[in-house]
Amino acid sequence: MDNYSMMELGEELNEKFDQLVDCCRTSGAIDVNLYTEYDVKRGLRDSNGRGVLTGLTEISDVVGMKNKNGNRIPCEGELYYQGYNVMNLVDSFADRRYAFEEITYLLLFGKLPTSQQFEDFRRILSSLQELSGQFVRDVIMKAPSANIMNALQKCVLTLYSYDEKPDDTSVSNVLRQSLQLISKIPMIAVYSYHSYRHFKFDENFFIRTPDKEMSIAENILQMIRPDGSFTELEAKVLDIALVLHAEHGGGNNSTFTDHVVTSSGTDTYSAISASIASLKGPRHGGANLKVQQMFDDLKKNCPDWKDESAVKTYLENMLDGKAFDGAGLIYGMGHAVYTDSDPREVILKEYANRLAKEKGKIDEFDLYDLVENLSKDLIMKKHRRFKPVCANVDFYSGFVYTMLGIPRELFTPIFAISRISGWSAHRLEELVNRGKIIRPAYKYVGHHREFCEIEERS
């Protein structure tokens, strides 16, 4: 079959396929009461929602609660990279470029670089940026994907074939592979996007090579835009956004995936590809796009953005499952760890405000601010929660990317571009510590049965 639509099966076989679907649904359904009976930590979380301890790390610390007199109480969120508070790190980059590159050095090597160490590191990254014309032609431009995350996976896996030592898991070789991926992924993502738009919508296909003197953030902007121009503030905002998305502990889905796959002894390209697959999921990296879609719907239903009553009614309808997608969620609100605040959101909101002023989008920023403030109380009231609810980093990131002219197809790939630094640090940490293969337990709750011949089966 040239295409893989089930319609190719024909009417009779489609009916047979539907029967197989029904079999999957019935055979795969487990009695939900069994999870309680056996105290199963679904989602690797206990009954209080806390993550089950499965490993140790020195790379980053995510703080949403603090102990006081033996009790865990909500607090202003804190995020530490290799022991350094991210808010302090971001403050130090106020008048400097290459923030993401410096954070990458910190995550990988556990310390902040000296001026000479950083200059050497930056030159190494720049020297690894280029992709061969053969790779662009044979891999990126062939069978372009509408979802750029799938394109990233394909390209990362194909890089295995271009590596002379792809299966060498020594620290030196994995570090080399990691630095190559950190350097090349921005180009792969942008070129994949341009290729998709060209072959799907007949748009002009242009490839701009990276400038070795530009930061990764600056190169992303100049490669995306037809004229290659950007303002100093635009580059600064994207640079900080990359910093904030670079790492978030070992327990998030994609980083845990990295640890699990790495623990099997597999190659770097397979491990990073698996993490990209995890990040693609809308319950993980795709949340910022969902926030943008939510605001699109809100604007249609509340044309007067300053009408607080109308906005509040819309949000209440959302929580009741009567607006937007009917899921009963306000996207971008709430976090598994943070309670009073998400430090990444606090920082990004400040930069979103600055960018909105430059772009003449302050009314739209005010709408985001209004929704954020209204949602906190509405969610707590609706779900009768006592633990505070805060906006997470996804709440403003899509708005920031939109103001930067980054197309929605690249929202989650930008996240991946950043997070590869954290994934690489965690992969190296797993290898250095020679951990056991990660193999949690699953309890069998089915029934043992006697085999019967095919003629006797009903």
Side-chain angles (χ1 to χ4, degrees), residues 30 51 118 361 386 405-406:
I30 295 174
F118 180 65
K361 299 278 188 179
F386 297 99
I406 295 173

Side-chain angles (χ1 to χ4, degrees), residues 58-60 81-84 100-114 116-122 124-125 128 171-180 182 421-422 424-426 428-429 432:
E58 292 184 342
I59 296 169
S60 70
Y81 289 170
Q82 294 284 7
Y84 294 95
F100 175 61
E101 287 85 343
E102 189 166 334
I103 287 301
T104 296
Y105 185 101
L106 172 64
L107 292 174
L108 290 173
F109 308 116
K111 62 181 182 179
L112 291 168
T114 64
Q116 187 59 55
Q117 286 171 336
F118 180 65
E119 179 58 25
D120 294 341
F121 180 66
R122 194 183 69 76
I124 290 172
L125 286 179
L128 297 173
V171 170
S172 61
N173 194 58
V174 171
L175 176 60
R176 173 188 63 81
Q177 293 169 331
S178 298
L179 294 180
Q180 286 185 321
I182 291 166
S421 292
S424 297
H426 279 275
L428 285 161
E429 187 176 62
V432 166

Side-chain angles (χ1 to χ4, degrees), residues 285-450:
N288 54 17
L289 180 57
K290 202 71 175 177
V291 173
Q292 284 299 98
Q293 294 167 342
M294 176 184 76
F295 271 93
D296 289 343
D297 192 67
L298 185 154
K299 292 170 187 175
K300 291 178 184 177
N301 289 276
C302 303
D304 183 359
W305 299 352
K306 297 185 183 298
D307 188 341
E308 182 173 329
S309 177
V311 173
K312 182 178 180 181
T313 298
Y314 175 87
L315 295 174
E316 289 172 335
N317 288 336
M318 279 193 67
L319 289 173
D320 290 335
K322 299 176 182 177
F324 188 38
D325 61 359
L329 300 172
I330 298 177
Y331 294 96
M333 296 299 302
H335 192 271
V337 179
Y338 297 122
T339 50
D340 284 358
S341 65
D342 177 343
R344 302 167 303 167
E345 183 267 350
V346 172
I347 295 168
L348 198 59
K349 181 178 181 179
E350 176 188 340
Y351 279 90
N353 188 15
R354 290 169 56 183
L355 191 60
K357 290 176 180 176
E358 180 177 279
K359 299 286 186 179
K361 299 278 188 179
I362 199 64
D363 286 346
E364 190 168 357
F365 173 84
D366 289 341
L367 174 62
Y368 275 77
D369 185 52
L370 175 61
V371 170
E372 178 187 358
N373 291 326
L374 290 174
S375 296
K376 294 177 181 179
D377 293 333
L378 290 175
I379 293 172
M380 291 183 68
K381 180 180 178 182
K382 172 69 177 178
H383 298 292
R384 298 179 181 177
R385 293 176 56 167
F386 297 99
K387 189 175 79 169
V389 177
C390 67
N392 59 54
V393 70
D394 294 314
F395 193 82
Y396 285 97
S397 61
F399 178 44
V400 165
Y401 296 155
T402 299
M403 287 192 290
L404 291 173
I406 295 173
R408 292 189 180 187
E409 292 94 335
L410 284 173
F411 280 12
T412 311
I414 292 290
F415 194 163
I417 287 169
S418 174
R419 187 56 63 88
I420 284 179
S421 292
W423 294 336
S424 297
H426 279 275
R427 174 165 167 76
L428 285 161
E429 187 176 62
E430 184 71 32
L431 292 171
V432 166
N433 287 285
R434 301 177 181 274
K436 292 184 176 181
I437 184 172
I438 298 173
R439 187 185 179 279
Y442 264 65
K443 182 175 181 62
Y444 177 71
V445 292
H447 302 283
H448 296 177
R449 295 178 285 187
E450 293 294 329

Side-chain angles (χ1 to χ4, degrees), residues 120-321:
D120 294 341
F121 180 66
R122 194 183 69 76
R123 287 172 57 204
I124 290 172
L125 286 179
S126 296
S127 70
L128 297 173
Q129 282 178 324
E130 293 181 6
L131 289 168
S132 70
Q134 181 183 0
F135 186 89
V136 175
R137 183 193 66 224
D138 294 346
V139 183
I140 293 178
M141 293 178 65
K142 286 191 176 179
S145 172
N147 194 304
I148 308 305
M149 292 295 283
N150 285 80
L152 289 184
Q153 277 188 280
K154 177 183 75 173
C155 290
V156 168
L157 285 173
T158 306
L159 284 170
Y160 176 100
S161 302
Y162 289 72
D163 193 329
E164 293 182 358
K165 298 190 294 181
D167 290 306
D168 180 351
T169 58
S170 65
V171 170
S172 61
N173 194 58
V174 171
L175 176 60
R176 173 188 63 81
Q177 293 169 331
S178 298
L179 294 180
Q180 286 185 321
L181 287 172
I182 291 166
S183 300
K184 295 181 190 304
I185 284 293
M187 295 175 64
I188 290 173
V190 175
Y191 291 179
S192 295
Y193 167 74
H194 287 316
S195 180
Y196 163 68
R197 297 296 300 186
H198 172 69
F199 289 107
K200 181 68 175 179
F201 300 104
D202 200 29
E203 294 183 0
N204 290 335
F205 184 23
F206 59 91
I207 294 180
R208 183 173 284 108
T209 56
D211 185 328
K212 293 187 182 298
E213 296 305 314
M214 286 185 177
S215 68
I216 288 176
E218 291 167 343
N219 268 315
I220 290 172
L221 291 176
Q222 70 101 1
M223 288 190 296
I224 285 175
R225 299 179 175 184
D227 64 1
S229 65
F230 53 86
T231 69
E232 183 178 337
L233 179 59
E234 286 176 327
K236 171 59 65 178
V237 172
L238 182 56
D239 203 13
I240 296 301
L242 293 176
V243 167
L244 298 177
H245 286 89
E247 165 59 11
H248 207 243
N252 67 79
N253 195 278
S254 59
T255 304
F256 184 62
T257 297
D258 186 23
H259 275 281
V260 171
V261 178
T262 294
S263 75
S264 76
T266 195
D267 65 279
T268 296
Y269 305 101
S270 294
I272 297 302
S273 176
S275 296
I276 292 171
S278 165
L279 190 67
K280 179 194 173 186
R283 298 169 74 177
H284 187 7
N288 54 17
L289 180 57
K290 202 71 175 177
V291 173
Q292 284 299 98
Q293 294 167 342
M294 176 184 76
F295 271 93
D296 289 343
D297 192 67
L298 185 154
K299 292 170 187 175
K300 291 178 184 177
N301 289 276
C302 303
D304 183 359
W305 299 352
K306 297 185 183 298
D307 188 341
E308 182 173 329
S309 177
V311 173
K312 182 178 180 181
T313 298
Y314 175 87
L315 295 174
E316 289 172 335
N317 288 336
M318 279 193 67
L319 289 173
D320 290 335

